[in-house]
Amino acid sequence: MTNNNDFDDTIPDLDTELVTRLDDLDDDLVTQRAAALRTGLNEYDLADEDFDVLDTVTEDPDAIQYLPALPVIAIVGRPNVGKSALVNRILGRREAVVEDTPGVTRDRVTYKGEWHERRFSLVDTGGWEPDAKGIDASVAAQAELAIELCDVVMFVVDANVGPTSTDEAVVRLLRKAGKPVFLVANKVDDIRQEPEAASLWALGLGQPWPVSALHGRGVADLLDAILEELPEISAVAKQEVGGPRRVAILGRPNVGKSSLLNKVVGEERVVVNELAGTTRDPVDEQVELGGRVWRFVDTAGIRRRVHLSQGADFYASLRTSAALEKAEVAVVLIDVTEVISEQDVRVIDLVLESGRALVLAFNKWDQIDDDRRRYLEREIEQDLAHVSWAPRVNISAKTGRHMEKLVPALETALEAWDTRIATGKFNAFLAELAASHPHPVRSGKQPRILFGTQASSRPPTFVIFTTGFLDPGYRRYIQRRLREVYGFEGSPINISMRVREKRKR
């Protein structure tokens, strides 16, 4: 029995003349040859999905479009009054992490909502407390900033508890801000509890709106009233941008993801603390870097195993996967002061499975010495060999060291992710490979490549029609040559084979 990996040992180094020959080919000639090969496929049994691939038309990448700034509603209140549950009720889906423990939400997190065909931004905040210390002080500061950067405030109070000294402190804060305020009396689950909401008149904010975030009771009436106060275009929010490149910031807990986002944005956008797992919800921020608009997503650190995570951390891991699905490129942060772990490799594999472009950012570079650098290079060779094609940047998210290298790496990875090779050029490339290094004969037969095409980009996906199964080693040979000739730095490449037999006459 032949070992399929034997072929890898026989792959020659890149023939530098191959690149020159491909560059010198006449475009019209290679197009005619590809058309002839495509016509030759008609002699083979093709399935409906084959024709779908062969007839694929790819649209150009989305251009940046500027849209009016959506009005902003901030939801504030002391801890554990049901703010995140109300966010989920308004959105109609479970987006915000909810748990019966105070302090689950720590950052200010923005979601896009819609009611009666009116779109708006909904900002969920951490619980506000006066005289908070440590991480709670950072959470309170985020809530205060949310009030400043909104058009309308929803002040949520627990109707069953009634007004507290903390609620009264929030009222003083709201009066200073001068924004329209809706006093939301939450946890009024049935009509018998409505009289309890009457005590909230004492706060001096006018009519309390009795609602049940858990059951949805009263939320529709509340939203109708808010829409009457809400401006069509926000007076405080940034202009919305359609089509910015989306960047997911990934990594295991406490590698510096939030510090990186804060440094990029230039403000304390996300709560940063030495406590691992500070970020529970993905936090989006639209920023201009290197002369273009980007949308950065700071995601909750991925735990060792999602099914072993408890409560809020379990949902945060799911949210991370969802944020990655919305992104185009992932920046995976690795803490160089620690040994590259199985968790780091798992995060990278998650990016590969999603098909997103990849940039590796080695954080805390200013904290290691020459000995650690030597060991780190060995770890990279051993554990990250399968992503040797990903751009590397050595940074310090905390101090901002070498942050200027991040944008070129992102642009390189996205350019590769968007790359499309003309069908004629790709078939000329395959013909050159087959001529210089033909597939080994297996069981007396030698598989032949009939035709190839790039079915899609983002990520680059190639389909090759053959007369027989190509060994894994030969597929790796094609992939390696693709990278050597066309670059694809920072982008995964997918190659699929379709074995087709000639039609019987």
Side-chain angles (χ1 to χ4, degrees):
M1 184 173 175
T2 308
N3 186 348
N4 288 336
N5 293 323
D6 289 347
F7 186 82
D8 290 329
D9 300 329
T10 66
I11 295 177
D13 292 330
L14 175 65
D15 176 6
T16 52
E17 293 182 3
L18 170 62
V19 179
T20 306
R21 288 199 302 273
L22 289 171
D23 286 339
D24 291 343
L25 286 173
D26 181 79
D27 288 346
D28 291 336
L29 181 61
V30 296
T31 301
Q32 290 171 13
R33 285 178 181 172
L37 290 171
R38 168 66 185 86
T39 303
L41 271 183
N42 293 333
E43 297 179 13
Y44 290 79
D45 280 324
L46 299 179
D48 289 341
E49 58 265 27
D50 294 336
F51 290 107
D52 291 340
V53 168
L54 294 169
D55 298 334
T56 296
V57 177
T58 303
E59 297 179 3
D60 291 331
D62 295 332
I64 293 179
Q65 300 173 337
Y66 290 90
L67 307 171
L70 292 178
V72 181
I73 304 170
I75 299 183
V76 301
R78 60 185 176 80
N80 213 33
V81 292
K83 296 184 297 296
S84 294
L86 185 58
V87 168
N88 289 336
R89 177 60 60 183
I90 293 171
L91 296 177
R93 59 190 184 276
R94 185 164 183 159
E95 281 278 1
V97 175
V98 178
E99 198 173 80
D100 250 349
T101 309
V104 170
T105 302
R106 288 168 178 161
D107 305 303
R108 67 182 200 275
V109 185
T110 304
Y111 304 99
K112 295 292 184 281
E114 186 174 332
W115 183 253
H116 290 328
E117 299 183 358
R118 285 277 304 277
R119 296 181 69 240
F120 49 83
S121 294
L122 198 62
V123 180
D124 186 17
T125 63
W128 188 91
E129 292 184 278
D131 306 320
K133 295 179 181 177
I135 189 171
D136 293 329
S138 300
V139 171
Q142 291 289 340
E144 291 174 25
L145 196 55
I147 294 170
E148 184 183 331
L149 299 177
C150 76
D151 298 292
V152 171
V153 178
M154 292 172 64
F155 174 32
V156 184
V157 179
D158 186 338
N160 296 326
V161 176
T164 66
S165 58
T166 302
D167 293 327
E168 290 167 358
V170 176
V171 170
R172 289 193 291 273
L173 189 69
L174 292 172
R175 285 204 175 113
K176 284 182 189 174
K179 301 291 175 74
V181 178
F182 286 80
L183 177 58
V184 182
N186 192 26
K187 304 186 182 179
V188 180
D189 296 333
D190 57 51
I191 197 167
R192 290 173 297 178
Q193 293 178 292
E194 285 197 6
E196 296 179 12
S199 63
L200 299 177
W201 282 92
L203 290 172
L205 291 176
Q207 173 193 348
W209 291 83
V211 305
S212 171
L214 187 62
H215 302 295
R217 187 175 182 274
V219 174
D221 292 337
L222 171 64
L223 288 174
D224 287 341
I226 288 174
L227 287 189
E228 292 180 8
E229 285 282 342
L230 205 61
E232 291 289 337
I233 299 175
S234 175
V236 291
K238 295 178 185 175
Q239 198 175 32
E240 287 286 312
V241 175
R245 307 315 296 257
R246 294 185 62 93
V247 185
I249 303 175
L250 298 180
R252 56 187 172 85
N254 217 30
V255 292
K257 300 184 299 299
S258 295
S259 296
L260 174 60
L261 182 59
N262 285 337
K263 187 58 67 174
V264 165
V265 175
E267 62 170 290
E268 286 295 311
R269 176 66 178 84
V270 182
V271 174
V272 178
N273 196 276
E274 290 179 2
L275 172 67
T278 304
T279 303
R280 258 77 178 271
D281 296 276
V283 178
D284 288 19
E285 185 68 28
Q286 194 168 281
V287 294
E288 186 173 336
L289 276 181
R292 65 188 299 182
V293 177
W294 306 81
R295 187 179 290 277
F296 278 81
V297 182
D298 169 44
T299 53
I302 299 171
R303 297 291 180 180
R304 294 182 194 278
R305 291 284 184 270
V306 169
H307 66 271
L308 293 181
S309 300
Q310 297 296 317
D313 287 332
F314 170 77
Y315 286 106
S317 295
L318 295 183
R319 207 85 355 106
T320 295
S321 299
L324 180 56
E325 286 303 313
K326 294 176 186 173
E328 296 172 291
V329 57
V331 177
V332 175
L333 247 63
I334 295 172
D335 185 344
V336 296
T337 63
E338 299 179 15
V339 174
I340 293 176
S341 68
E342 181 189 348
Q343 274 182 282
D344 293 317
V345 177
R346 271 204 332 109
V347 174
I348 291 170
D349 289 343
L350 187 66
V351 177
L352 297 182
E353 288 166 15
S354 72
R356 300 301 181 260
L358 173 65
V359 172
L360 298 178
F362 292 89
N363 193 25
K364 306 182 185 178
W365 195 261
D366 54 336
Q367 297 180 26
I368 60 172
D369 55 21
D370 290 340
D371 285 342
R372 174 63 192 135
R373 284 194 184 110
R374 282 194 293 273
Y375 281 112
L376 178 64
E377 286 301 328
R378 289 181 199 165
E379 291 165 20
I380 291 170
E381 288 177 15
Q382 180 179 330
D383 299 325
L384 305 182
H386 63 305
V387 287
S388 58
W389 42 263
R392 280 175 52 182
V393 289
N394 305 327
I395 63 170
S396 170
K398 195 170 184 180
T399 65
R401 182 176 185 264
H402 288 169
M403 290 292 289
E404 73 280 357
K405 295 181 178 179
L406 186 59
V407 170
L410 289 171
E411 289 176 336
T412 296
L414 284 167
E415 183 181 352
W417 200 60
D418 291 334
T419 295
R420 187 168 187 86
I421 300 173
T423 302
K425 291 275 189 184
F426 183 53
N427 280 279
F429 164 81
L430 292 174
E432 287 280 353
L433 294 194
S436 63
H437 211 73
H439 192 286
V441 176
R442 301 294 189 224
S443 303
K445 293 182 180 179
Q446 186 179 47
R448 188 163 56 91
I449 294 175
L450 301 170
F451 181 76
T453 184
Q454 183 174 350
S456 63
S457 55
R458 303 183 173 190
T461 301
F462 299 90
V463 177
I464 299 177
F465 294 85
T466 68
T467 60
F469 182 76
L470 299 187
D471 290 349
Y474 200 80
R475 288 201 294 260
R476 285 191 289 273
Y477 164 60
I478 294 173
Q479 194 170 86
R480 178 175 149 189
R481 285 291 187 261
L482 269 172
R483 291 196 180 280
E484 289 170 338
V485 173
Y486 295 104
F488 291 113
E489 185 183 358
S491 176
I493 299 174
N494 297 328
I495 297 179
S496 67
M497 304 292 161
R498 301 203 177 180
V499 179
R500 296 294 179 257
E501 296 180 352
K502 263 199 172 183
R503 285 200 188 115
K504 294 177 181 177
R505 296 188 179 279

